[in-house]
Amino acid sequence: MAKKRDRIVNTQPFISDQRLVASVPYLKGDSPSLLDEFVPKITEGFIISRFNSVQASVPDDSTDHPLDKVEVLQDELDCFPYLCRFQYERTGMYIINTMEPLLQSYTESGLLQFADNSELVLIEAKLSWIVHIVAAIVKIKQCSGCSVETQEVLDAELSARVLRLVNVMDSGLHRQRYGEISRQRLDRAILTFFQNFRKSYVGDQAMHSSKLYARLKELLGLHDHLVLLNVIVGKIATNLKCYTESEEVIGHTLSLFLELASG
């Protein structure tokens, strides 16, 4: 029973912290707020706790895993963007520095003929959490904390890492892992990212996001939302081809396709 409780993502403290962050513009006086120091530590602590839970649950054959409940997880992470964007430069760099070694390890393992499955399961689980967190962040734009331009650049930096991951996932050794539960969870995290990114930065919203696409062009050569849309469509096609036996991934992929078709 204790193990099951450890799997529950308790976001009630996030709600209280979000209210504190929202109150900052109304604070009077010149004294620095302790929120500047402690809010980033809260977000960093949450990521560390998710990684620790992953480490403790490998190998994982659970039928009650938080990464399997994508819609519930995103609802629980609704407060997270407000905390991240409060000190976004610091928090964004923390997420990037956390994700980079995982992405590097995952890229290198894809080039091998054989790899340690338990290690790949662990990396995929950690990447799933990071991608869900990035998805939650890009879902909500322009919170207080730093300029709109700075936020768009940081959104681009985080999104670029996720998009690099998409390229790695469907190449090399990783093409043999579509049947693995940890891999399916990672793909559902990617689909969630695409859903949220599309709402914020594709279509009519794109004309107001010049800084984001300028940075994505520098990092990945993706210069506008139409090119990004091609990436999303390509991922949809890959999933429909490769996930013939995963009802969850196929259903999520079709939901994304329907959203694109609906405009």
Side-chain angles (χ1 to χ4, degrees):
M1 185 66 181
K3 183 177 180 181
K4 184 174 181 180
R5 282 199 300 268
D6 288 341
R7 294 182 178 279
I8 298 173
V9 181
N10 182 11
T11 56
Q12 188 61 38
F14 282 172
I15 298 174
S16 300
D17 295 328
Q18 179 194 341
R19 291 169 180 164
L20 287 172
V21 167
S23 70
V24 168
Y26 304 100
L27 294 177
K28 296 181 180 180
D30 298 326
S31 301
S33 170
L34 292 177
L35 293 176
D36 293 338
E37 177 183 355
F38 288 108
V39 168
K41 291 182 179 179
I42 292 169
T43 58
E44 293 166 13
F46 175 77
I47 294 172
I48 291 171
S49 73
R50 294 305 90 205
F51 279 15
N52 288 342
S53 71
V54 165
Q55 197 86 35
S57 63
V58 173
D60 181 23
D61 57 357
S62 171
T63 57
D64 187 29
H65 198 287
L67 289 172
D68 291 332
K69 302 174 181 178
V70 174
E71 295 81 5
V72 174
L73 178 58
Q74 281 298 302
D75 286 343
E76 291 173 337
L77 290 174
D78 270 352
C79 300
F80 207 76
Y82 298 96
L83 303 182
C84 288
R85 292 184 185 276
F86 180 68
Q87 289 286 334
Y88 198 17
E89 291 173 291
R90 172 176 166 177
T91 304
M93 287 308 303
Y94 177 82
I95 295 173
I96 289 170
N97 291 335
T98 300
M99 188 174 186
E100 276 292 347
L102 293 171
L103 184 53
Q104 182 65 29
S105 296
Y106 201 59
T107 301
E108 292 172 355
S109 65
L111 301 175
L112 304 174
Q113 288 186 323
F114 303 98
D116 184 346
N117 184 67
S118 61
E119 181 66 21
L120 286 177
V121 168
L122 182 62
I123 293 173
E124 286 170 344
K126 290 181 177 181
L127 284 171
S128 295
W129 275 109
I130 289 290
V131 173
H132 273 297
I133 287 169
V134 174
I137 292 171
V138 300
K139 182 179 179 180
I140 298 177
K141 297 169 58 180
Q142 302 175 10
C143 305
S144 61
C146 57
S147 69
V148 173
E149 291 79 7
T150 299
Q151 291 193 50
E152 285 197 358
V153 170
L154 287 168
D155 282 357
E157 293 282 352
L158 293 176
S159 298
R161 270 72 184 180
V162 177
L163 293 168
R164 279 172 50 200
L165 174 60
V166 172
N167 289 333
V168 172
M169 290 168 64
D170 296 313
S171 64
L173 180 68
H174 300 311
R175 288 182 295 184
Q176 304 172 23
R177 295 187 54 77
Y178 296 113
E180 299 289 338
I181 296 297
S182 59
R183 169 57 197 267
Q184 293 170 17
R185 289 169 179 158
L186 179 54
D187 257 309
R188 294 200 67 192
I190 294 292
L191 291 168
T192 301
F193 166 78
F194 279 144
Q195 287 175 309
N196 292 352
F197 186 93
R198 184 194 70 84
K199 293 172 184 175
S200 295
Y201 288 115
V202 174
D204 294 338
Q205 297 83 359
M207 67 182 68
H208 305 297
S209 308
S210 58
K211 294 295 182 181
L212 176 131
Y213 282 105
R215 186 58 180 149
L216 283 181
K217 181 180 179 181
E218 294 172 358
L219 294 171
L220 300 175
L222 302 174
H223 56 81
D224 64 26
H225 68 118
L226 296 178
V227 179
L228 199 288
L229 197 58
N230 285 337
V231 174
I232 298 176
V233 172
K235 183 56 180 169
I236 289 173
T238 298
N239 283 4
L240 294 178
K241 177 182 178 181
C242 298
Y243 276 112
T244 55
E245 298 183 3
S246 175
E247 182 178 341
E248 291 80 9
V249 176
I250 290 295
H252 199 159
T253 301
L254 290 175
S255 294
L256 174 59
F257 179 74
L258 181 60
E259 290 176 12
L260 293 179
S262 301

